[in-house]
Amino acid sequence: MAPDRDHAPLAERVEELLAAGGPLPIVAAGRPVLRRPTEAYDGQLGPALLARFVEALRLTMHAAPGVGLAAPQVGVELRIAVLEDPAPVPEEIAAIRGRRPQPFRVLVNPAYEPVGTARAAFFEGCLSVPGWQAVVARHAEVRLRAEDERGHAVDEVFTGWPARIVQHETDHLDGTLYLDRAELRSLSTNEAVAALWSQPTPATAATALGFELP
């Protein structure tokens, strides 16, 4: 009987993933790894392998393309995520959504908590749910605690779109997809969003599709 690869040591499975080179395959919704809480990182990969894995996450995120990627999205149940956002959007949209360029970051064992009660609702997508977007109301400001890939503490407040990315990627590490938090009446194909709902806010979509914004 062949060994069960899902239960092979994590380091061994990550080595196998990296052996092919290039971007890693992204796991799509329906796979159990996306619905299980991840293991806290405590050295399972070792410094050299961790560095290679982080670089593979970065390459995969860029190739997708996306602004964040969590380890479960490539089939690895570790509490690690990466994010980077060049924010290539018109100034009007950037201002309304609070979208500002974000440098490449590695989040190890991240957790967030809301700052204040304000919430913001916008269309959101996911590399593990390709082809679709939906409106998600999220905390407008969050405090993130984590470590970086070198073990240095991260304790930072994020607002606007960066706060949304932090919440989305950290949720992945708890087995939560953005659809779990979405207004499902807003669910739209990427093509529909581009054709009909590309306004800076989803107010028009809410009126036409029959859902309420917070």
Side-chain angles (χ1 to χ4, degrees), residues 106-205:
V106 181
L107 306 180
V108 177
N109 298 331
Y112 69 81
E113 61 186 37
V115 176
T117 60
R119 296 172 70 80
F122 293 104
F123 274 99
E124 187 173 317
C126 179
L127 298 178
S128 290
V129 189
W132 297 89
Q133 297 181 48
V135 172
V136 184
R138 292 195 182 269
H139 304 296
E141 187 171 6
V142 296
R143 181 179 183 181
L144 173 74
R145 293 184 176 90
E147 295 179 350
D148 66 15
E149 68 274 32
R150 297 177 182 84
H152 300 148
V154 175
D155 188 342
E156 190 171 347
V157 172
F158 290 81
T159 61
W161 206 261
R164 179 170 296 268
I165 298 171
V166 163
Q167 291 170 81
H168 182 115
E169 299 309 328
T170 304
D171 280 357
H172 269 302
L173 305 179
D174 295 323
T176 298
L177 295 177
Y178 84 99
L179 291 174
D180 300 329
R181 303 187 185 278
E183 172 50 66
L184 290 184
R185 289 186 70 95
S186 71
L187 187 64
S188 306
T189 64
N190 287 345
E191 292 79 9
V193 172
L196 301 171
W197 317 129
S198 60
Q199 296 86 3
T201 77
T204 302

Side-chain angles (χ1 to χ4, degrees), residues 57-127:
L57 289 175
R58 185 190 69 82
L59 178 65
T60 304
M61 176 179 64
H62 288 173
V67 296
L69 189 68
Q73 293 182 273
V74 297
V76 177
E77 58 268 42
L78 279 177
R79 200 168 184 82
I80 297 172
V82 297
L83 63 86
E84 182 179 8
D85 184 13
V89 295
E91 186 174 332
E92 177 193 10
I93 292 177
I96 290 175
R97 298 180 182 176
R99 190 167 180 181
R100 299 170 296 279
Q102 294 296 303
F104 179 70
R105 299 171 181 266
V106 181
L107 306 180
V108 177
N109 298 331
Y112 69 81
E113 61 186 37
V115 176
T117 60
R119 296 172 70 80
F122 293 104
F123 274 99
E124 187 173 317
C126 179
L127 298 178

